Amino acid sequence: MASQSAVLVREMERLGRNIRSWRKISGLTAQITAERAGVSRDTLRAIETGRSTSSENLLAVMRAVGILAAVVDASDPIASDFGSRNLARASVERVRIPRSSKQIEEE
């Protein structure tokens, strides 16, 4: 099994490639995209190659290529089957680790 950091690196690289593809499909140059996002071309390059960057810069570039709303919508738990089935959990103020039966027996 791949380590968590290896999985994250792979997914960051995949996200970066997707953003680059969206930019090109949209007919945007790297310079125009960087300007619209308010980031440097080096920052845009870092995002498109999956290198670490601030979430603010990542979101700004997503907005510049026109995918921010779709990404935010995709993160809505209520839009998923799992989220809609478990909607009651969203109103819980604090999530607690369930106690095991062994812990209950010891009390």
Side-chain angles (χ1 to χ4, degrees), residues 2-106:
S3 72
Q4 182 178 2
S5 62
V7 170
L8 293 178
V9 167
R10 186 173 57 244
E11 293 301 313
M12 286 176 61
E13 290 171 349
R14 192 173 101 171
L15 179 60
R17 286 191 305 271
N18 291 346
I19 290 170
R20 181 183 311 120
S21 294
W22 274 107
R23 175 177 62 77
K24 289 180 176 183
I25 288 168
S26 300
L28 298 171
T29 65
Q31 183 65 38
I32 289 170
T33 303
E35 288 172 5
R36 286 184 180 178
V39 300
S40 69
R41 286 196 56 194
D42 285 341
T43 297
L44 177 61
R45 186 177 305 111
I47 290 169
E48 290 186 345
T49 58
R51 294 194 321 263
S52 182
T53 185
S54 76
S55 55
E56 182 179 1
N57 288 341
L58 176 61
L59 295 174
V61 169
M62 286 183 189
R63 185 188 66 228
V65 299
I67 63 170
L68 179 59
V71 171
V72 172
D73 288 346
S75 71
D76 181 358
I78 307 309
S80 73
D81 290 338
F82 177 81
S84 62
R85 283 193 314 267
N86 295 284
L87 181 58
R89 291 183 187 168
S91 63
V92 174
E93 288 190 28
R94 184 172 174 191
V95 176
R96 297 179 190 272
I97 298 173
R99 297 187 320 173
S100 69
S101 57
K102 185 176 180 179
Q103 288 173 322
I104 294 171
E105 289 172 6
E106 291 174 354

